[in-house]
Amino acid sequence: MGKSKVFMFSGQGSQYYHMGRELYETNLTFQHWMSKMNQIIQQNAGINILEEIYNPAIHRSTVFDKLSYTHPAIFMVEYSLARVCIENGIEPDYVLGASLGEFVSAAITGILSLEKALECLLIQSALIQSDCQPGSMTAIVHNPELYKQTSIIHDHFELAAINYSSHFIISGNYRDELITVEAYLKREGIVFQTLPVRYGFHSANIEPIAREYKKKLSNLTFNHPQIPFISCVSAGSIDDIDSEHFWNVLRQPIDFQKTIQRLEAGNQFVYIDLGPSGTLANFVKRNLTSDSESKVYTILTPFGQDVRTLQKVMESLN
C-alpha cells in the first residue's frame, strides 16, 4: 500500500501574473474549470479574472496585488489544478490549506460548494478593500524566536505564520512601521522579503471586517468533510467546521511547521503542492527529518515548464 497523498493549497503571496497559463492553453480540464469559475465570478462580481491574469500586455514579473483579482485567481488556479490531478486518477487522502488555501480545501472536500467558497472569498476581498487600511506582510529568514526577542518587530507587527525553524512571517500596518523593521533587518544582515499583498492578513489590520464578515459566514451551511481536512490554524485535522473557523483562517496565525511535524509523527506521506509557486513544497522539505521517507512534489512555478512538470508528476504517482 502506497503512502497517503496530501493535496496542499497556499494563500496570498504565492500569486503572479500568468500563473498556470501554459496549462490553461494546453490542458482541457484545467481550462474547463478556470473558465467555469471565471464565469461564476463575472456573474457575481462583474470582473474577468482570466483577462487580468493572462493579459499579454502584462509581464509575469509585474506585481500582482489587487485583492479583488488575486483572491479569486489563487483559488481558481489551485482548484483547477486539483481537478486535473483527480481526473487523472491522483486523488487526495488529505487536504491541507494554508490561509486562503483552506477555502480551496473546503471546496475539494465538500465542506462548501465551489460556488459558496468563491462567494466567501469575493465577499472577504470586497470588505477588506472597503474597510481596512493598507497593511503589509514580510517573510523573515531567521529563527521565529527573533520575533519574541526583538521589540522593534513585535511592537509593530504580529506573528502571522511560522513555516519552518528558520522562516516566519510578520503582518500589520504599513509605511513607517515597515520601514523601521526593514531597516533593522538590513542592519542585522537578516534576509527578508516583503510579500506582494496590500493588507496585513492574520493581524489586527483586518479586524474592521470582523462583524460583517462573521455575519456573512454565519449564513452558510458547512458540511462534514468527505476527505480529512488539515488546518494550519489548528495544526491538525478538523471534523466539525463552523463559520468561526473561517474567520480564524483569516485572523489567526498559521503554524505550518507544527502542522507538518504532527503529520510526520504519525505517518509518512506524498505531499503535492497545488499552489502557483511551490511555496508549501519548499516549506515541507524544510520540516522533514533526515530519515523521513515522505515525498514532495511541485507542479507550478514562476519559471514555467508546467506541462512537462505535470506529466512527470503524473508518471511518478500513477
Side-chain angles (χ1 to χ4, degrees):
M1 186 175 179
K3 297 181 181 70
S4 295
K5 299 179 184 68
V6 182
F7 278 15
M8 302 191 299
F9 305 101
S10 56
Q12 279 287 340
S14 62
Q15 75 276 6
Y16 49 92
Y17 279 105
H18 303 287
M19 55 185 179
R21 178 165 195 153
E22 191 179 338
L23 284 180
Y24 180 73
E25 292 175 343
T26 60
N27 187 290
L28 293 179
T29 300
F30 190 86
Q31 183 185 93
H32 165 77
W33 287 104
M34 289 288 284
S35 299
K36 178 181 175 69
M37 287 182 280
N38 192 59
Q39 186 176 28
I40 293 170
I41 292 162
Q42 279 189 290
Q43 291 171 349
N44 284 276
I47 56 176
N48 189 317
I49 303 298
L50 293 178
E51 280 189 1
E52 175 71 11
I53 64 172
Y54 297 146
N55 185 336
I58 301 177
H59 192 271
R60 183 187 294 263
S61 62
T62 302
V63 175
F64 183 28
D65 64 357
K66 188 174 182 181
L67 197 63
S68 54
Y69 287 94
T70 61
H71 246 34
I74 294 166
F75 182 103
M76 287 167 60
V77 168
E78 294 184 340
Y79 186 90
S80 298
L81 189 54
R83 295 305 313 179
V84 169
C85 290
I86 291 167
E87 293 180 31
N88 279 275
I90 300 171
E91 299 196 14
D93 299 294
Y94 300 85
V95 292
L96 183 158
S99 193
L100 182 154
E102 290 210 28
F103 288 90
V104 190
S105 288
I108 291 294
T109 195
I111 293 168
L112 289 170
S113 68
L114 174 61
E115 291 78 9
K116 288 299 181 183
L118 283 170
E119 181 183 330
C120 280
L121 291 180
L122 292 172
I123 291 169
Q124 185 189 119
S125 64
L127 287 172
I128 289 173
Q129 289 177 111
S130 67
D131 297 352
C132 297
Q133 295 298 312
S136 68
M137 301 181 75
T138 299
I140 300 175
V141 184
H142 201 282
N143 190 314
E145 288 297 312
L146 179 72
Y147 176 80
K148 298 177 185 177
Q149 297 166 356
T150 311
S151 61
I152 202 170
I153 300 178
H154 68 238
D155 286 353
H156 296 300
F157 287 86
E158 292 182 47
L159 183 63
I162 297 176
N163 295 313
Y164 55 89
S165 61
S166 58
H167 192 283
F168 66 101
I169 296 175
I170 58 173
S171 178
N173 291 327
Y174 199 49
R175 299 188 183 93
D176 293 344
E177 293 89 347
L178 180 63
I179 291 169
T180 300
V181 170
E182 291 189 349
Y184 164 78
L185 295 172
K186 287 176 182 176
R187 286 198 306 271
E188 296 297 315
I190 296 171
V191 176
F192 67 91
Q193 179 184 18
T194 302
L195 302 183
V197 297
R198 297 184 185 182
Y199 301 94
F201 297 98
H202 312 289
S203 81
N205 187 251
I206 51 86
E207 281 287 351
I209 74 164
R211 183 177 178 180
E212 188 63 25
Y213 191 51
K214 286 183 179 181
K215 182 180 176 182
K216 297 289 187 182
L217 288 172
S218 69
N219 293 326
L220 297 175
T221 299
F222 298 91
N223 302 314
H224 187 80
Q226 298 170 7
I227 304 164
F229 181 90
I230 309 297
S231 169
C232 289
V233 171
S234 62
S237 179
I238 303 179
D239 292 323
D240 297 317
I241 295 159
D242 57 17
S243 60
E244 189 67 22
H245 173 75
F246 284 100
W247 166 249
N248 291 336
V249 165
L250 178 63
R251 177 64 181 91
Q252 297 302 317
I254 299 165
D255 200 334
F256 189 81
Q257 180 183 36
K258 185 182 288 186
T259 304
I260 298 301
Q261 287 175 344
R262 285 182 175 176
L263 281 172
E264 286 287 307
N267 212 329
Q268 295 183 329
F269 300 90
V270 173
Y271 298 95
I272 306 168
D273 189 339
L274 299 175
S277 298
T279 309
L280 298 186
N282 290 330
F283 293 166
V284 170
K285 290 173 185 177
R286 298 282 188 165
N287 283 300
L288 296 181
T289 58
S290 59
D291 61 345
S292 174
E293 294 182 5
S294 292
K295 302 293 183 183
V296 187
Y297 292 93
T298 299
I299 298 173
L300 300 183
T301 76
F303 310 109
Q305 301 294 315
D306 298 337
V307 171
R308 183 180 177 188
T309 305
L310 174 64
Q311 186 60 38
K312 285 184 177 181
V313 171
M314 294 297 175
E315 290 171 357
S316 299
L317 297 179
N318 277 322

